Amino acid sequence: MTDTVQTVEQVARNSYGRLVAFLAVRSRDLAAAEDALGDAFLAALDQWPRDGVPQKPEAWLLTAARRRMIDASRRSATADAAFPALEFAALDAQREADAVRDFPDERLGLLFCCAHPAIDEAARTPLMLQTVLGLDATRIAGAFLVAPAAMSQRLVRAKTKIRDAGVPFDIPSARELPERVEAVMEAIYAAYGTAWDDAFGVDAKRRGLAEEAIWLARVLTETMPENAEAHGLLALMLFCESRRAARRSSSGAFVPLDQQDVSLWSAPMIAEAERALRTASALTAPGRFQIEAAIQSVHAQRLFGAPVRWDAVAMFYGSLVAIAPTVGAYVGMAAALGEARGPDIGLTVLNGLNDADITDYQPYWAVRGHLLAHAGRAPEAHIAYNRAIHLSDEVAVRSFLLARAASVS
């Protein structure tokens, strides 16, 4: 039974987005596709332990979900409208099983569907994270600082809107792209960020999300080769992912970027990131993701024996705050200026931020503690570090900050 459950979980992690997108594109009903696929997974948990895991688990799940959607549409009062939309309804199970290994991956089209202007802007990224990448409403709610019940209601309303408004499940025309592509990129990056938080991949629900996000970014650059920010997003994630193996020591301790063993970095991934960044730069349409990727590129030069040029990092952060003045960008600029020009300069930037923006923002307090320690202001550094420790969720990060605080005298 345990092996069967693990197989079902693995298929869910690897194929949920592909399966729900395939079903949703053909049924034009995202909620119904999710419900049918959920029923198919439950059926698998019931039947596979008894009958054995099928040779093609994806095909079995797709067939089971298809049958449930057809049955539901026949029972529905709108059967005449719904049933013809099931393009695969006429396929028998065997033909579908034979063809499923080659079924098209519709996830990018589904992302653009979720970014349709008819969908509430606040629901677009959460909707993409749930439907295409399989994150649950509770985790999404935590990321967006919203109550789980409120997030669930928001997602239900968005799916209903897609069905009732007849939102198309495909890549929009070139004229429509600008109003949607930014939301798609934000969702891809948010998915990557969720995986990045789980450095060791111990959370099964987030395992593989980084690879999924990078794959989607690659498809986006192939679909829209003239979009500079798509290339910048791909470069940014590749730079970050290249360092995954160096983020934790063998004992699980957190290793900050400037102390990482560069021999553990992925040189091929960094090379691909540099190519993507050059492609983006050649399109002469700078944006947030490109600037963030450029910052990571400066750090990546350590792989080739070069020191970090903190003046260049500070310059790029200055460009970033000019177009995306987030608290994170200002904190990054403060850290870079502190390294390039001294801690007092960095602290001046931090002191200019609004209290409401930094009260619960852990990176602010960690950077503030670091700069205060280097400025010789030990009592204030301890206060800042303690605040950062209190706001840290990860045990490894808390341990690192505790050690930093203990070293300040």
Side-chain angles (χ1 to χ4, degrees):
M1 178 66 177
T2 302
D3 290 344
T4 302
V5 172
Q6 290 176 345
T7 299
V8 173
E9 289 178 347
Q10 181 178 356
V11 174
R13 288 195 301 271
N14 296 341
S15 304
Y16 177 86
R18 293 179 66 211
L19 291 167
V20 77
F22 184 85
L23 291 163
V25 165
R26 282 149 184 79
S27 68
R28 304 288 166 174
D29 190 335
L30 178 55
E34 289 183 311
D35 289 344
L37 188 57
D39 288 344
F41 276 113
L42 289 175
L45 288 171
D46 178 57
Q47 296 182 38
W48 291 4
R50 182 178 65 248
D51 303 334
V53 177
Q55 185 177 5
K56 299 176 181 177
E58 280 186 340
W60 191 98
L61 289 163
L62 187 60
T63 299
R66 173 187 62 87
R67 288 171 176 166
R68 281 162 174 75
M69 293 189 77
I70 293 171
D71 290 343
S73 68
R74 284 171 173 159
R75 292 192 301 269
S76 172
T78 58
D80 290 342
F83 188 75
L86 297 173
E87 299 173 8
F88 47 82
L91 291 177
D92 59 65
Q94 185 56 50
R95 284 175 59 203
E96 187 171 284
D98 289 341
V100 73
R101 63 186 173 187
D102 298 319
F103 72 83
D105 196 323
E106 311 278 9
R107 282 176 292 179
L108 190 62
L110 184 54
L111 283 175
F112 275 101
C113 170
C114 296
H116 193 281
I119 307 302
D120 178 16
E121 185 175 353
R124 293 173 195 169
T125 296
L127 185 62
M128 293 181 227
L129 291 175
Q130 184 184 66
T131 58
V132 180
L133 295 157
L135 295 184
D136 59 56
T138 300
R139 187 178 297 282
I140 296 169
F144 286 83
L145 303 179
V146 175
M151 179 57 71
S152 294
Q153 291 175 358
R154 186 181 297 177
L155 291 167
V156 168
R157 286 195 298 269
K159 293 169 192 175
T160 301
K161 183 71 173 182
I162 287 173
R163 183 194 64 206
D164 294 347
V167 174
F169 287 71
D170 50 24
I171 306 297
S173 66
R175 178 177 55 82
E176 299 171 302
L177 282 178
E179 62 184 352
R180 296 205 218 176
V181 69
E182 183 176 346
V184 170
M185 290 190 289
E186 289 290 348
I188 293 173
Y189 191 45
Y192 182 80
T194 299
W196 182 251
D197 290 340
D198 184 38
F200 277 144
V202 296
D203 185 340
K205 291 183 178 180
R206 289 189 282 180
R207 196 175 303 150
L209 264 182
E211 290 83 358
E212 288 285 286
I214 291 171
W215 180 86
L216 285 166
R218 286 194 179 107
V219 174
L220 189 62
T221 61
E222 292 167 3
T223 305
M224 299 161 205
E226 298 304 313
N227 188 292
E229 276 289 80
H231 294 283
L233 172 61
L234 176 59
L236 173 58
M237 292 191 297
L238 287 169
F239 277 126
C240 294
E241 191 64 16
S242 71
R243 302 194 298 264
R244 181 175 291 274
R247 294 180 61 214
R248 297 289 186 271
S249 69
S250 58
S251 64
F254 171 76
V255 182
L257 177 57
D258 61 348
Q259 296 178 25
Q260 288 177 7
D261 180 355
V262 298
S263 70
L264 297 176
W265 292 359
S266 170
M269 205 170 283
I270 289 174
E272 183 183 357
E274 293 287 1
R275 289 194 298 272
L277 187 55
R278 286 196 297 271
T279 300
S281 179
L283 293 168
T284 62
R288 166 200 163 192
F289 291 123
Q290 294 169 72
I291 296 171
E292 292 192 42
I295 292 169
Q296 299 305 320
S297 177
V298 176
H299 287 290
Q301 302 315 302
R302 282 183 55 215
L303 180 64
F304 311 106
V308 176
R309 291 187 53 202
W310 287 107
D311 56 337
V313 174
M315 178 193 70
F316 282 127
Y317 269 117
S319 299
L320 183 61
V321 298
I323 64 171
T326 65
V327 63
Y330 275 107
V331 170
M333 182 171 70
L337 286 171
E339 297 293 337
R341 299 170 55 187
D344 289 337
I345 302 298
L347 287 167
T348 298
V349 175
L350 294 183
N351 291 338
L353 297 177
N354 293 326
D355 289 344
D357 293 332
I358 55 89
T359 299
D360 296 321
Y361 189 62
Q362 188 269 358
Y364 169 90
W365 296 102
V367 170
R368 185 173 185 84
H370 173 75
L371 293 176
L372 286 167
H374 279 268
R377 296 159 63 178
E380 294 171 87
H382 281 291
I383 293 172
Y385 272 133
N386 287 335
R387 188 68 172 271
I389 292 163
H390 174 73
L391 293 170
S392 298
D393 294 326
E394 275 197 78
V395 173
V397 174
R398 283 201 300 271
S399 298
F400 170 79
L401 292 172
L402 282 166
R404 278 283 177 95
S407 69
V408 178
S409 58

